[in-house]
Amino acid sequence: MLHRFSKKHKRQSLLFVRPDYHCSFIYRDELRKRGWKADVFVDPLYPRKLLYRDDVITAPHSYSIQKYRYLRYMNNIVAILWWLLKATRYKYHVYYGRPPVNSYFETKFGLTRIFGRDFSVELAIARFFGIRLIYVPPGCHDEALKEEVMKFDNGQVCGNCGAYDRCDDNKNKLNFSRLRRYFDARVGFGTLDPTVYVASHMKYKVIDLDLWCPDMEVPPEHVLPETNALRIMHSSNLAASGRTWKQRDIKGSPFVFEAVDRLKAEGYNVDYYFVDNVRSRDMRYYQAQADIVVDQLRYGWWGSTLIECAALGKPVICYLRESWKSRFLSIFKEYSSLPVIEADVDTIYDELKKLVDNESYRLKNGHEMRKFAEQHFNPESNVKAFIKLLESI
């Protein structure tokens, strides 16, 4: 039986464990074009509004049965069996976020006392069946210890992060230990250089350049009210977001609001807008209607907002940490500079004003951002490098 399981996964087969925004779906489709068996796994509790696509694989729904110990055991046994039957059919597993998906049995049955604190049933099963594991880090605490991130900008990154009180270096160290023990490759983006594991830096992030394009047509149901004001869009951290936990704000949103209000008070015809309660797959329709986009002003690098809006040909303001930018340019030598309009919480007003004052500057930068998206987030070229990484492990 074990022999049959081990033969089930094909040489060219890959499972994305948890979606990386749009990125996992685009990779999946590109791999399928090249004859791969590729799928995206989504936990049944994952918010459907955040999904860019509905055609995903989900595990059996787990019910809240905390009062009944034996039912809890059965619930998790079913989950492990499902994983054994389904996930072992793929040669590669790409984890976006911390492994494992299920960690119920490790401590319940004392397995960590026998096999080590970083032991994982799920990951051990994968290794037993010869599955290759690849890790894609979602955030800074997935690449570095909190004690290291605290040194950035005199603690301003950690101090303004909604996850600050929940970010625990004991848990971080356990994650890094598992990554070193079980994983064959860990993706790096050319910015933060991890000291906790060896990373393979590459152009990993991708965007569908046909879906996100400057001349994209916006469906009538997503068209904003007409205005002759310049629209400034910022993906602010709303109250429901974990990133604003305890009034912290990693994106520097209040400074964006203040800068826009100041411009209005000075007589500039500008308007700020954010979009709430919209499916991730529909967000591009609202991004397309912006004249200027602000990503973030504290963290030190871009996120999905810049990637998507760059493809749409929008001028995007973002804070880039100088040390990360220098490392990025040293790794990706085809760039001598970046078209991102750089600003932080102290300079956001000045950079917004330059863009508002100068239409040709806005249009020129938007064109440069689209060109950068075609170079750096291009699925056609990036998937080739990704396949090369997979075949090397």
Side-chain angles (χ1 to χ4, degrees):
M1 183 177 179
L2 292 179
H3 178 72
R4 288 203 305 273
F5 277 134
S6 65
K7 293 295 183 181
K8 272 188 178 179
H9 58 63
K10 301 176 182 179
R11 182 173 176 270
Q12 291 187 326
S13 56
L14 183 146
L15 180 67
F16 289 97
V17 183
R18 306 187 196 99
D20 175 4
Y21 296 94
H22 51 262
C23 197
S24 302
F25 295 98
I26 296 170
Y27 266 115
R28 181 198 65 183
D29 294 345
E30 289 295 323
L31 288 169
R32 286 178 176 178
K33 289 178 187 177
R34 290 161 173 78
W36 283 61
K37 172 182 169 63
D39 290 296
V40 178
F41 166 78
V42 176
D43 186 275
L45 298 180
Y46 188 88
R48 287 304 187 262
K49 190 179 293 184
L50 298 181
L51 284 177
Y52 282 77
R53 298 276 291 275
D54 289 324
D55 49 339
V56 297
I57 294 175
T58 57
H61 187 81
S62 59
Y63 297 96
S64 179
I65 45 179
Q66 299 303 317
K67 294 181 180 179
Y68 307 105
R69 182 178 62 180
Y70 294 111
L71 287 178
R72 285 204 309 274
Y73 289 162
M74 290 303 299
N75 211 20
N76 284 277
I77 287 172
V78 169
I80 286 293
L81 287 175
W82 181 92
W83 194 257
L84 181 68
L85 291 168
K86 195 75 174 180
T88 53
R89 298 176 183 178
Y90 300 84
K91 178 66 176 178
Y92 302 97
H93 289 180
V94 178
Y95 278 77
Y96 179 68
R98 299 189 171 192
V101 172
N102 188 303
S103 59
Y104 182 78
F105 294 104
E106 283 80 347
T107 55
K108 289 295 180 183
F109 294 106
L111 298 177
T112 53
R113 293 196 297 270
I114 301 172
F115 300 108
R117 185 168 174 263
D118 57 358
F119 176 75
S120 163
V121 172
E122 177 184 312
L123 301 178
I125 288 173
R127 300 303 300 181
F128 178 80
F129 287 113
I131 295 168
R132 300 290 180 251
L133 302 177
I134 302 93
Y135 182 68
V136 179
C140 55
H141 71 307
D142 299 293
E143 297 182 89
L145 292 170
K146 183 179 180 179
E147 64 183 35
E148 292 299 319
V149 181
M150 279 291 293
K151 299 174 185 177
F152 297 155
D153 301 341
N154 298 314
Q156 287 298 304
V157 176
C158 282
N160 285 285
C161 179
Y164 176 82
D165 293 344
R166 301 183 299 248
C167 185
D168 182 347
D169 266 349
N170 289 323
K171 294 179 181 178
N172 295 338
K173 288 176 181 178
L174 174 60
N175 179 49
F176 297 141
S177 182
R178 282 175 171 159
L179 295 179
R180 293 190 296 266
R181 177 172 178 174
Y182 293 107
F183 280 70
D184 300 280
R186 294 147 293 267
V187 171
F189 309 119
T191 52
L192 196 156
D193 192 19
T195 59
V196 290
Y197 55 69
V198 177
S200 299
H201 293 285
M202 62 183 296
K203 295 180 180 179
Y204 178 77
K205 298 292 185 177
V206 291
I207 190 73
D208 188 324
L209 294 165
D210 293 325
L211 279 181
W212 281 265
C213 62
D215 58 352
M216 181 186 69
E217 185 176 342
V218 178
E221 64 269 24
H222 298 295
V223 173
L224 294 170
E226 286 190 22
T227 179
N228 59 358
L230 280 177
R231 288 187 170 125
I232 300 172
M233 180 180 180
H234 171 57
S235 299
S236 66
N237 295 318
L238 305 178
S241 169
R243 293 175 180 174
T244 52
W245 194 58
K246 292 192 174 180
Q247 305 304 310
R248 297 187 179 112
D249 184 74
I250 193 63
K251 287 194 173 185
S253 301
F255 296 90
V256 181
F257 307 153
E258 290 174 10
V260 174
D261 286 344
R262 182 176 170 185
L263 288 168
K264 284 182 175 181
E266 293 172 358
Y268 287 95
N269 189 18
V270 296
D271 195 14
Y272 161 81
Y273 76 99
F274 66 85
V275 182
D276 190 16
N277 201 30
V278 170
R279 298 183 306 173
S280 292
R281 71 190 69 181
D282 295 329
M283 186 60 73
R284 68 182 186 274
Y285 300 129
Y286 298 92
Q287 294 167 337
Q289 297 174 76
D291 297 293
I292 301 167
V293 178
V294 182
D295 190 341
Q296 60 76 32
L297 304 176
R298 288 193 186 278
Y299 177 67
W301 207 248
W302 60 67
S304 61
T305 295
L306 182 141
I307 296 170
E308 295 175 354
C309 292
L312 291 169
K314 302 297 179 182
V316 184
I317 298 175
C318 185
Y319 168 49
L320 304 182
R321 181 166 293 101
E322 190 59 39
S323 61
W324 291 8
K325 184 172 73 169
S326 296
R327 185 176 294 112
F328 182 92
L329 294 174
S330 69
I331 291 174
F332 303 108
K333 299 184 185 299
E334 59 269 40
Y335 309 120
S336 58
S337 62
L338 294 171
V340 181
I341 299 171
E342 297 183 48
D344 57 23
V345 296
D346 296 318
T347 60
I348 180 60
Y349 165 79
D350 296 324
E351 296 305 324
L352 275 177
K353 187 175 181 179
K354 290 177 189 176
L355 285 166
V356 170
D357 271 334
N358 194 329
E359 181 182 9
S360 61
Y361 176 41
R362 291 198 307 272
L363 297 176
K364 180 175 182 291
N365 183 260
H367 176 75
E368 291 172 349
M369 289 297 288
R370 171 67 186 190
K371 184 178 178 181
F372 177 64
E374 292 171 350
Q375 289 179 290
H376 202 74
F377 309 122
N378 193 321
E380 288 286 333
S381 54
N382 289 11
V383 74
K384 294 177 183 177
F386 186 54
I387 291 174
K388 187 176 180 180
L389 172 67
L390 297 176
E391 293 175 342
S392 71
I393 58 179

PDB file of all heavy atoms in Angstrom, residues 3-25:
ATOM      1  N   HIS A   3       3.808   1.493  -1.044  1.00  0.00           N
ATOM      2  CA  HIS A   3       4.481   1.574  -2.341  1.00  0.00           C
ATOM      3  C   HIS A   3       3.566   2.236  -3.373  1.00  0.00           C
ATOM      4  O   HIS A   3       4.002   3.051  -4.180  1.00  0.00           O
ATOM      5  CB  HIS A   3       4.873   0.169  -2.794  1.00  0.00           C
ATOM      6  CG  HIS A   3       5.527   0.157  -4.151  1.00  0.00           C
ATOM      7  ND1 HIS A   3       6.809   0.630  -4.358  1.00  0.00           N
ATOM      8  CD2 HIS A   3       5.066  -0.256  -5.374  1.00  0.00           C
ATOM      9  CE1 HIS A   3       7.125   0.501  -5.635  1.00  0.00           C
ATOM     10  NE2 HIS A   3       6.092  -0.026  -6.278  1.00  0.00           N
ATOM     11  N   ARG A   4       2.267   1.888  -3.323  1.00  0.00           N
ATOM     12  CA  ARG A   4       1.316   2.491  -4.262  1.00  0.00           C
ATOM     13  C   ARG A   4       1.202   3.989  -4.029  1.00  0.00           C
ATOM     14  O   ARG A   4       1.158   4.782  -4.951  1.00  0.00           O
ATOM     15  CB  ARG A   4      -0.062   1.834  -4.115  1.00  0.00           C
ATOM     16  CG  ARG A   4      -0.126   0.420  -4.655  1.00  0.00           C
ATOM     17  CD  ARG A   4      -1.583   0.067  -5.001  1.00  0.00           C
ATOM     18  NE  ARG A   4      -2.479   0.260  -3.886  1.00  0.00           N
ATOM     19  CZ  ARG A   4      -2.712  -0.665  -2.963  1.00  0.00           C
ATOM     20  NH1 ARG A   4      -2.061  -1.820  -2.993  1.00  0.00           N
ATOM     21  NH2 ARG A   4      -3.573  -0.444  -1.994  1.00  0.00           N
ATOM     22  N   PHE A   5       1.155   4.383  -2.740  1.00  0.00           N
ATOM     23  CA  PHE A   5       1.078   5.808  -2.432  1.00  0.00           C
ATOM     24  C   PHE A   5       2.308   6.537  -2.973  1.00  0.00           C
ATOM     25  O   PHE A   5       2.207   7.604  -3.561  1.00  0.00           O
ATOM     26  CB  PHE A   5       0.996   6.037  -0.916  1.00  0.00           C
ATOM     27  CG  PHE A   5      -0.390   5.910  -0.362  1.00  0.00           C
ATOM     28  CD1 PHE A   5      -0.617   5.183   0.796  1.00  0.00           C
ATOM     29  CD2 PHE A   5      -1.462   6.517  -0.985  1.00  0.00           C
ATOM     30  CE1 PHE A   5      -1.893   5.064   1.315  1.00  0.00           C
ATOM     31  CE2 PHE A   5      -2.746   6.405  -0.468  1.00  0.00           C
ATOM     32  CZ  PHE A   5      -2.953   5.671   0.681  1.00  0.00           C
ATOM     33  N   SER A   6       3.479   5.957  -2.758  1.00  0.00           N
ATOM     34  CA  SER A   6       4.707   6.633  -3.147  1.00  0.00           C
ATOM     35  C   SER A   6       4.813   6.804  -4.653  1.00  0.00           C
ATOM     36  O   SER A   6       5.511   7.673  -5.141  1.00  0.00           O
ATOM     37  CB  SER A   6       5.926   5.861  -2.624  1.00  0.00           C
ATOM     38  OG  SER A   6       6.004   4.590  -3.241  1.00  0.00           O
ATOM     39  N   LYS A   7       4.123   5.966  -5.423  1.00  0.00           N
ATOM     40  CA  LYS A   7       4.175   6.063  -6.874  1.00  0.00           C
ATOM     41  C   LYS A   7       3.105   6.991  -7.436  1.00  0.00           C
ATOM     42  O   LYS A   7       3.094   7.282  -8.627  1.00  0.00           O
ATOM     43  CB  LYS A   7       3.993   4.668  -7.488  1.00  0.00           C
ATOM     44  CG  LYS A   7       5.148   3.713  -7.196  1.00  0.00           C
ATOM     45  CD  LYS A   7       6.428   4.192  -7.848  1.00  0.00           C
ATOM     46  CE  LYS A   7       7.570   3.191  -7.604  1.00  0.00           C
ATOM     47  NZ  LYS A   7       8.826   3.669  -8.208  1.00  0.00           N
ATOM     48  N   LYS A   8       2.186   7.452  -6.581  1.00  0.00           N
ATOM     49  CA  LYS A   8       1.047   8.223  -7.087  1.00  0.00           C
ATOM     50  C   LYS A   8       1.446   9.610  -7.588  1.00  0.00           C
ATOM     51  O   LYS A   8       0.849  10.135  -8.501  1.00  0.00           O
ATOM     52  CB  LYS A   8      -0.034   8.337  -6.016  1.00  0.00           C
ATOM     53  CG  LYS A   8      -1.019   7.179  -6.049  1.00  0.00           C
ATOM     54  CD  LYS A   8      -2.169   7.448  -5.112  1.00  0.00           C
ATOM     55  CE  LYS A   8      -3.180   6.299  -5.173  1.00  0.00           C
ATOM     56  NZ  LYS A   8      -4.305   6.522  -4.264  1.00  0.00           N
ATOM     57  N   HIS A   9       2.407  10.247  -6.891  1.00  0.00           N
ATOM     58  CA  HIS A   9       2.718  11.602  -7.329  1.00  0.00           C
ATOM     59  C   HIS A   9       3.610  11.571  -8.563  1.00  0.00           C
ATOM     60  O   HIS A   9       4.541  10.790  -8.679  1.00  0.00           O
ATOM     61  CB  HIS A   9       3.347  12.443  -6.203  1.00  0.00           C
ATOM     62  CG  HIS A   9       4.605  11.887  -5.613  1.00  0.00           C
ATOM     63  ND1 HIS A   9       5.769  11.722  -6.336  1.00  0.00           N
ATOM     64  CD2 HIS A   9       4.865  11.474  -4.363  1.00  0.00           C
ATOM     65  CE1 HIS A   9       6.701  11.251  -5.552  1.00  0.00           C
ATOM     66  NE2 HIS A   9       6.187  11.078  -4.357  1.00  0.00           N
ATOM     67  N   LYS A  10       3.281  12.420  -9.514  1.00  0.00           N
ATOM     68  CA  LYS A  10       4.023  12.488 -10.759  1.00  0.00           C
ATOM     69  C   LYS A  10       5.260  13.347 -10.569  1.00  0.00           C
ATOM     70  O   LYS A  10       5.363  14.140  -9.643  1.00  0.00           O
ATOM     71  CB  LYS A  10       3.135  13.078 -11.853  1.00  0.00           C
ATOM     72  CG  LYS A  10       1.863  12.295 -12.120  1.00  0.00           C
ATOM     73  CD  LYS A  10       1.010  13.011 -13.160  1.00  0.00           C
ATOM     74  CE  LYS A  10      -0.293  12.270 -13.398  1.00  0.00           C
ATOM     75  NZ  LYS A  10      -1.151  12.970 -14.385  1.00  0.00           N
ATOM     76  N   ARG A  11       6.179  13.188 -11.499  1.00  0.00           N
ATOM     77  CA  ARG A  11       7.404  13.984 -11.441  1.00  0.00           C
ATOM     78  C   ARG A  11       7.083  15.464 -11.577  1.00  0.00           C
ATOM     79  O   ARG A  11       7.668  16.299 -10.899  1.00  0.00           O
ATOM     80  CB  ARG A  11       8.348  13.537 -12.550  1.00  0.00           C
ATOM     81  CG  ARG A  11       9.680  14.265 -12.560  1.00  0.00           C
ATOM     82  CD  ARG A  11      10.622  13.666 -13.576  1.00  0.00           C
ATOM     83  NE  ARG A  11      11.854  14.420 -13.663  1.00  0.00           N
ATOM     84  CZ  ARG A  11      12.032  15.441 -14.503  1.00  0.00           C
ATOM     85  NH1 ARG A  11      11.044  15.810 -15.302  1.00  0.00           N
ATOM     86  NH2 ARG A  11      13.173  16.100 -14.543  1.00  0.00           N
ATOM     87  N   GLN A  12       6.144  15.817 -12.451  1.00  0.00           N
ATOM     88  CA  GLN A  12       5.761  17.210 -12.641  1.00  0.00           C
ATOM     89  C   GLN A  12       4.395  17.461 -12.020  1.00  0.00           C
ATOM     90  O   GLN A  12       3.387  17.592 -12.705  1.00  0.00           O
ATOM     91  CB  GLN A  12       5.753  17.553 -14.128  1.00  0.00           C
ATOM     92  CG  GLN A  12       7.129  17.570 -14.762  1.00  0.00           C
ATOM     93  CD  GLN A  12       7.100  18.088 -16.186  1.00  0.00           C
ATOM     94  OE1 GLN A  12       6.134  17.868 -16.914  1.00  0.00           O
ATOM     95  NE2 GLN A  12       8.150  18.764 -16.604  1.00  0.00           N
ATOM     96  N   SER A  13       4.359  17.536 -10.715  1.00  0.00           N
ATOM     97  CA  SER A  13       3.108  17.786  -9.989  1.00  0.00           C
ATOM     98  C   SER A  13       3.412  18.625  -8.758  1.00  0.00           C
ATOM     99  O   SER A  13       4.413  18.402  -8.076  1.00  0.00           O
ATOM    100  CB  SER A  13       2.441  16.464  -9.594  1.00  0.00           C
ATOM    101  OG  SER A  13       3.322  15.668  -8.828  1.00  0.00           O
ATOM    102  N   LEU A  14       2.542  19.590  -8.494  1.00  0.00           N
ATOM    103  CA  LEU A  14       2.823  20.548  -7.418  1.00  0.00           C
ATOM    104  C   LEU A  14       1.525  20.983  -6.753  1.00  0.00           C
ATOM    105  O   LEU A  14       0.525  21.235  -7.427  1.00  0.00           O
ATOM    106  CB  LEU A  14       3.565  21.753  -7.991  1.00  0.00           C
ATOM    107  CG  LEU A  14       4.013  22.845  -7.024  1.00  0.00           C
ATOM    108  CD1 LEU A  14       5.337  23.458  -7.501  1.00  0.00           C
ATOM    109  CD2 LEU A  14       2.945  23.940  -6.929  1.00  0.00           C
ATOM    110  N   LEU A  15       1.575  21.090  -5.432  1.00  0.00           N
ATOM    111  CA  LEU A  15       0.439  21.580  -4.635  1.00  0.00           C
ATOM    112  C   LEU A  15       0.856  22.833  -3.892  1.00  0.00           C
ATOM    113  O   LEU A  15       1.827  22.820  -3.132  1.00  0.00           O
ATOM    114  CB  LEU A  15      -0.010  20.510  -3.646  1.00  0.00           C
ATOM    115  CG  LEU A  15      -1.204  20.888  -2.747  1.00  0.00           C
ATOM    116  CD1 LEU A  15      -2.476  21.032  -3.587  1.00  0.00           C
ATOM    117  CD2 LEU A  15      -1.408  19.853  -1.649  1.00  0.00           C
ATOM    118  N   PHE A  16       0.133  23.925  -4.124  1.00  0.00           N
ATOM    119  CA  PHE A  16       0.336  25.140  -3.341  1.00  0.00           C
ATOM    120  C   PHE A  16      -0.479  25.006  -2.057  1.00  0.00           C
ATOM    121  O   PHE A  16      -1.710  24.882  -2.102  1.00  0.00           O
ATOM    122  CB  PHE A  16      -0.099  26.380  -4.119  1.00  0.00           C
ATOM    123  CG  PHE A  16       0.813  26.717  -5.265  1.00  0.00           C
ATOM    124  CD1 PHE A  16       0.509  26.304  -6.555  1.00  0.00           C
ATOM    125  CD2 PHE A  16       1.980  27.430  -5.053  1.00  0.00           C
ATOM    126  CE1 PHE A  16       1.342  26.603  -7.616  1.00  0.00           C
ATOM    127  CE2 PHE A  16       2.830  27.731  -6.108  1.00  0.00           C
ATOM    128  CZ  PHE A  16       2.513  27.317  -7.393  1.00  0.00           C
ATOM    129  N   VAL A  17       0.204  25.009  -0.922  1.00  0.00           N
ATOM    130  CA  VAL A  17      -0.456  24.866   0.373  1.00  0.00           C
ATOM    131  C   VAL A  17      -0.731  26.268   0.913  1.00  0.00           C
ATOM    132  O   VAL A  17       0.167  26.963   1.379  1.00  0.00           O
ATOM    133  CB  VAL A  17       0.419  24.060   1.354  1.00  0.00           C
ATOM    134  CG1 VAL A  17      -0.316  23.869   2.679  1.00  0.00           C
ATOM    135  CG2 VAL A  17       0.798  22.716   0.742  1.00  0.00           C
ATOM    136  N   ARG A  18      -1.986  26.689   0.798  1.00  0.00           N
ATOM    137  CA  ARG A  18      -2.469  28.042   1.106  1.00  0.00           C
ATOM    138  C   ARG A  18      -2.123  28.990  -0.040  1.00  0.00           C
ATOM    139  O   ARG A  18      -1.015  28.980  -0.553  1.00  0.00           O
ATOM    140  CB  ARG A  18      -1.894  28.593   2.419  1.00  0.00           C
ATOM    141  CG  ARG A  18      -2.087  27.718   3.632  1.00  0.00           C
ATOM    142  CD  ARG A  18      -1.622  28.465   4.881  1.00  0.00           C
ATOM    143  NE  ARG A  18      -1.434  27.564   5.996  1.00  0.00           N
ATOM    144  CZ  ARG A  18      -0.257  27.084   6.359  1.00  0.00           C
ATOM    145  NH1 ARG A  18       0.825  27.424   5.703  1.00  0.00           N
ATOM    146  NH2 ARG A  18      -0.162  26.261   7.377  1.00  0.00           N
ATOM    147  N   PRO A  19      -3.059  29.819  -0.440  1.00  0.00           N
ATOM    148  CA  PRO A  19      -2.818  30.723  -1.568  1.00  0.00           C
ATOM    149  C   PRO A  19      -2.017  31.953  -1.165  1.00  0.00           C
ATOM    150  O   PRO A  19      -2.244  32.546  -0.107  1.00  0.00           O
ATOM    151  CB  PRO A  19      -4.238  31.111  -2.008  1.00  0.00           C
ATOM    152  CG  PRO A  19      -5.076  30.957  -0.779  1.00  0.00           C
ATOM    153  CD  PRO A  19      -4.451  29.847   0.023  1.00  0.00           C
ATOM    154  N   ASP A  20      -1.081  32.326  -2.010  1.00  0.00           N
ATOM    155  CA  ASP A  20      -0.307  33.554  -1.867  1.00  0.00           C
ATOM    156  C   ASP A  20      -0.981  34.613  -2.738  1.00  0.00           C
ATOM    157  O   ASP A  20      -0.540  34.905  -3.843  1.00  0.00           O
ATOM    158  CB  ASP A  20       1.130  33.279  -2.303  1.00  0.00           C
ATOM    159  CG  ASP A  20       2.005  34.527  -2.318  1.00  0.00           C
ATOM    160  OD1 ASP A  20       1.509  35.601  -1.917  1.00  0.00           O
ATOM    161  OD2 ASP A  20       3.172  34.432  -2.737  1.00  0.00           O
ATOM    162  N   TYR A  21      -2.093  35.151  -2.229  1.00  0.00           N
ATOM    163  CA  TYR A  21      -2.879  36.126  -2.969  1.00  0.00           C
ATOM    164  C   TYR A  21      -3.173  35.589  -4.378  1.00  0.00           C
ATOM    165  O   TYR A  21      -3.613  34.476  -4.559  1.00  0.00           O
ATOM    166  CB  TYR A  21      -2.173  37.486  -3.000  1.00  0.00           C
ATOM    167  CG  TYR A  21      -2.028  38.109  -1.633  1.00  0.00           C
ATOM    168  CD1 TYR A  21      -0.868  37.922  -0.884  1.00  0.00           C
ATOM    169  CD2 TYR A  21      -3.062  38.846  -1.074  1.00  0.00           C
ATOM    170  CE1 TYR A  21      -0.739  38.478   0.387  1.00  0.00           C
ATOM    171  CE2 TYR A  21      -2.950  39.408   0.195  1.00  0.00           C
ATOM    172  CZ  TYR A  21      -1.783  39.214   0.917  1.00  0.00           C
ATOM    173  OH  TYR A  21      -1.666  39.749   2.163  1.00  0.00           O
ATOM    174  N   HIS A  22      -2.903  36.399  -5.408  1.00  0.00           N
ATOM    175  CA  HIS A  22      -3.107  35.972  -6.790  1.00  0.00           C
ATOM    176  C   HIS A  22      -1.976  35.073  -7.274  1.00  0.00           C
ATOM    177  O   HIS A  22      -2.128  34.312  -8.224  1.00  0.00           O
ATOM    178  CB  HIS A  22      -3.179  37.209  -7.700  1.00  0.00           C
ATOM    179  CG  HIS A  22      -2.025  38.143  -7.502  1.00  0.00           C
ATOM    180  ND1 HIS A  22      -2.118  39.256  -6.711  1.00  0.00           N
ATOM    181  CD2 HIS A  22      -0.747  38.109  -7.945  1.00  0.00           C
ATOM    182  CE1 HIS A  22      -0.959  39.885  -6.684  1.00  0.00           C
ATOM    183  NE2 HIS A  22      -0.103  39.202  -7.427  1.00  0.00           N
ATOM    184  N   CYS A  23      -0.834  35.166  -6.620  1.00  0.00           N
ATOM    185  CA  CYS A  23       0.410  34.570  -7.104  1.00  0.00           C
ATOM    186  C   CYS A  23       0.294  33.056  -7.324  1.00  0.00           C
ATOM    187  O   CYS A  23       0.688  32.527  -8.373  1.00  0.00           O
ATOM    188  CB  CYS A  23       1.520  34.874  -6.106  1.00  0.00           C
ATOM    189  SG  CYS A  23       3.179  34.646  -6.745  1.00  0.00           S
ATOM    190  N   SER A  24      -0.238  32.333  -6.353  1.00  0.00           N
ATOM    191  CA  SER A  24      -0.330  30.877  -6.443  1.00  0.00           C
ATOM    192  C   SER A  24      -1.203  30.447  -7.617  1.00  0.00           C
ATOM    193  O   SER A  24      -0.891  29.471  -8.305  1.00  0.00           O
ATOM    194  CB  SER A  24      -0.907  30.301  -5.143  1.00  0.00           C
ATOM    195  OG  SER A  24      -0.118  30.670  -4.038  1.00  0.00           O
ATOM    196  N   PHE A  25      -2.281  31.174  -7.858  1.00  0.00           N
ATOM    197  CA  PHE A  25      -3.191  30.808  -8.945  1.00  0.00           C
ATOM    198  C   PHE A  25      -2.544  31.036 -10.309  1.00  0.00           C
ATOM    199  O   PHE A  25      -2.736  30.246 -11.243  1.00  0.00           O
ATOM    200  CB  PHE A  25      -4.497  31.600  -8.833  1.00  0.00           C
ATOM    201  CG  PHE A  25      -5.283  31.276  -7.598  1.00  0.00           C
ATOM    202  CD1 PHE A  25      -5.206  32.075  -6.467  1.00  0.00           C
ATOM    203  CD2 PHE A  25      -6.089  30.151  -7.542  1.00  0.00           C
ATOM    204  CE1 PHE A  25      -5.923  31.768  -5.319  1.00  0.00           C
ATOM    205  CE2 PHE A  25      -6.808  29.831  -6.407  1.00  0.00           C
ATOM    206  CZ  PHE A  25      -6.721  30.640  -5.289  1.00  0.00           C
TER     207      PHE A  25
END
